[in-house]
Amino acid sequence: MAKAKTVFYCTACGNETPKWQGRCPACGAWNTMEEHVEKPVPAGRPKPAPGSTGRMPQRLREVDCGTEIRFSTGMWELDRVLGGGAVEGSLVLVGGAPGIGKSTLLLQICSQLCVERKVLYVSGEESERQIKLRAQRLEVAPENLYILSETRLSDIVEAVEQTRPDILIVDSIQTLYNEENESTPGSVSQVKDCTMTLMHLSKNAGITVFVVGHINKDGNIAGPKVLEHMVDCVLNFEGDPNTSYRLLRAAKNRFGSTNEIGVFEMGDRGLLQVPNPSQMLLEGRPEGAPGTCVACVMEGTRPVLAEVQALVTKTTFNVPRRTADGFDFNRAVLMLAVAEKRANMKLSLFDAYINVIGGLRLDEPGADLPVVLAVASSYREQVIPDDLVAIGEVGLTGEIRSVSNMNQRLSEAARLGFKKCVIPRNGTEKVEIPCGLTIYRVRNLREAIEVVLA
Ligand code: TYD
Ligand code: MG
């Protein structure tokens, strides 16, 4: 009989090592190694486990896959992030900081899901009574919704076998525990174990499983990166808890793209979908103030307008300070260097703070030009017209380059009542100009600044 093996898992990244170490060799985190005793494996050739399917390899062309069955969750913002609805038999992990609204979202979708399907909602965090009270507040009172307040994995599996739901919701994975595993609930090995069991349930019985996972302060789903490898979709629910807006983003999706975002607003009666995110992101924009410019970026298939703000002030440090919120820091530093060299701004004597309003992250090239223009506007203390949108990538020689989906971006700008748009000269000869929009085609940064801050 082989001896029980002790391994250590890092609670931050899930890395496994045979010895305890003060610092995880994979992610560099201190004091995160946690002991876990693995059950001995009988020596010799592994026998098929009881319940093993004894499957043999099949020719790909002979595999019968049927059709991928998707169904709507009743929230089109969520459907879009999932790639056009939830896929039957998939396992979706919904991550987010505590209090962001994960439980609210999942309880809310029950009202639509229950119309044609049986749903089991398992909560390890709230009692049945608490769930009922929340459901009443959200005005969710479906016929086919079963709730269970339980944390023991074996009991949950039994409940699933008895209830035979089409959809299983588990809130949250960190509260579940498998008795056979001696680690504490929420530890890497427990979370891994429980997810694996849910995964088997989902794949064998064709149950669609939604699992809630809390994230730690670094923004990773607590403990295990390993968990992300196991599931079909990872959705992150983000947003500033002090504001009511929430963004849902796919970090991984085996059944669709990861570019789409879903936008929600938290109200008195739960989450409301925001069909028009541009309007929301531009709300309360200061008028006639220097240092702000409107950008138009593609979020998946949707064009979204957002405000970029910049503050440029004389530095009192040896090395000027730069911060970028909602925009890649290194890209921001690069843009400041290009502006200094190609547009003759003495930015190395100034601190520069860049901020994207509304919690959106602008990580596409089309946001370069509005960032540089906001900086130029603050540097010169000159106002950019309120009805102007800037779109374009800025190259190292200060040239403005074309970006994708120009037609869609321009129509979104026109739809929201913008009158002027600065776009690259090259590569935009064929774009359709919506009526009411004046286009300024620019070749380089100097031209753009001249047009905007005339
Ligand atoms: P919750 O879904 O419990 O968060 P999570 O499961 O991600 O931890 O949401 C909790 C927050 O949402 C809480 O701060 C209160 C707020 N909230 C509302 O503003 N309106 C509502 O109708 C509900 C149900 C919650
Ligand atoms: Mg919760």
Side-chain angles (χ1 to χ4, degrees), residues 23 133 150 178 192 243 245 428 432 434:
R23 190 176 189 206
L133 286 174
E150 182 58 74
N178 182 358
K192 225 169 126 177
T243 68
Y245 294 111
T428 58
E432 291 160 26

Side-chain angles (χ1 to χ4, degrees), residues 130-195:
Q130 276 174 310
I131 302 171
K132 173 87 192 241
L133 286 174
R134 188 199 288 258
Q136 275 174 350
R137 193 139 71 90
L138 299 172
E139 296 177 356
V140 180
E143 191 65 8
N144 275 328
L145 176 60
Y146 293 78
I147 54 175
L148 172 72
S149 179
E150 182 58 74
T151 53
R152 206 162 81 167
L153 190 66
S154 52
D155 290 350
I156 294 171
V157 173
E158 203 182 306
V160 170
E161 275 160 7
Q162 275 175 11
T163 323
R164 301 198 159 273
D166 301 303
I167 294 156
L168 172 68
I169 296 175
V170 179
D171 186 4
S172 64
I173 192 72
Q174 276 92 6
T175 55
L176 302 196
Y177 73 96
N178 182 358
E179 288 165 308
E180 291 165 24
N181 186 331
E182 279 151 24
S183 333
T184 48
S187 65
V188 178
S189 69
Q190 279 287 8
V191 169
K192 225 169 126 177
D193 248 21
C194 297
T195 310

Side-chain angles (χ1 to χ4, degrees), residues 99 101-104 121 125-126 134 171 212 214:
K102 302 177 294 295
S103 310
T104 309
Y121 184 106
E125 304 194 337
E126 291 162 306
R134 188 199 288 258
D171 186 4
V212 169
H214 292 293

Side-chain angles (χ1 to χ4, degrees), residues 1-23:
M1 181 83 181
K3 272 204 305 199
K5 192 173 123 202
T6 304
V7 291
F8 294 84
Y9 282 117
C10 167
T11 50
C13 71
N15 179 46
E16 183 187 319
T17 59
K19 270 201 301 198
W20 188 87
Q21 298 182 36
R23 190 176 189 206

Side-chain angles (χ1 to χ4, degrees), residues 285-290 292 383-384 386:
R285 199 153 59 95
E287 278 174 22
T292 137
V383 178
I384 296 178
D386 292 329

